[in-house]
Amino acid sequence: MLSPETSILLLTTGGTIDKIYFDALSDYQVGETVMAKLLEIGRVKRPFRIEEVVRKDSLELDDADRALIRDRVAAAPESHVIITHGTDTMTETAKLLAAIPGKTVVLVGALAPARFGESDASFNLGMAFATVQMAEPGVYITMSGSVFRADKVVKDRAKGAFVPADRP
């Protein structure tokens, strides 16, 4: 468990959680992160800092982007890291992070943009903050009220949810 003075690093990579709807384009695009605003609204008192790594839909992330995410996690002085990430390739990035020793890393996203009133983003981000403080070192994914070890979860696109990897 974290001591009271330990800071949490929040790395943003884009994904639905930070998408904006552009009427003129009739399209969603990843915009500037709103994570600081969500944490302010949630009255989070735990020290944290936010760094943007990339601003992409997770389907647009490539090997170089994932290496950059891995390098940022490995180089961070914080041992507790949350990564906002698109849900479609979250497990791919998680696999690359598994080799980093001594860090507790939680990947989190949303199925609806944080800017939407009925988004799951705030709840999921809160779950990530709780998980990163309580979990043993390793890589985790938290979505929709569940916490999974990243190596034991898959996204079930038909259900729009993450499920244990051993389930069909």
Side-chain angles (χ1 to χ4, degrees):
M1 181 153 49
L2 289 179
S3 63
E5 67 280 352
T6 304
S7 181
I8 295 170
L9 174 60
L10 176 59
L11 297 176
T12 65
T13 67
T16 297
I17 200 165
D18 272 324
K19 283 194 174 174
I20 300 170
Y21 183 72
F22 290 93
D23 282 332
L25 302 173
S26 294
D27 190 22
Y28 288 94
Q29 295 180 4
V30 177
E32 187 173 326
T33 188
V34 294
M35 295 307 105
K37 182 71 173 167
L38 290 182
L39 295 171
E40 178 185 328
I41 290 168
R43 295 179 175 86
V44 172
K45 301 300 183 206
R46 164 74 57 200
F48 65 88
R49 70 182 179 96
I50 299 174
E51 281 186 20
E52 181 178 279
V53 181
V54 294
R55 194 183 290 182
K56 293 183 174 183
D57 183 284
S58 71
L59 292 173
E60 296 171 357
L61 291 175
D62 58 25
D63 291 343
D65 295 322
R66 284 190 176 79
L68 181 59
I69 295 165
R70 180 201 59 220
D71 292 348
R72 289 278 189 93
V73 171
E78 295 89 352
S79 59
H80 295 78
V81 181
I82 296 170
I83 302 170
T84 62
H85 197 290
T87 60
D88 287 318
T89 65
M90 192 180 278
T91 57
E92 290 175 40
T93 300
K95 287 176 191 169
L96 195 60
L97 300 171
I100 301 172
K103 304 264 184 173
T104 304
V105 180
V106 179
L107 289 93
V108 64
L111 299 176
R115 290 169 174 82
F116 286 16
E118 294 185 10
S119 174
D120 55 336
S122 292
F123 183 80
N124 290 344
L125 186 59
M127 287 281 301
F129 260 76
T131 301
V132 81
Q133 292 178 65
M134 299 304 296
E136 296 295 322
V139 183
Y140 303 86
I141 290 175
T142 183
M143 289 287 298
S144 307
S146 294
V147 178
F148 302 96
R149 286 184 44 97
D151 60 346
K152 299 192 182 302
V153 66
V154 295
K155 182 177 179 184
D156 183 327
R157 284 180 173 69
K159 292 181 180 179
F162 283 84
V163 297
D166 57 331
R167 277 198 345 205

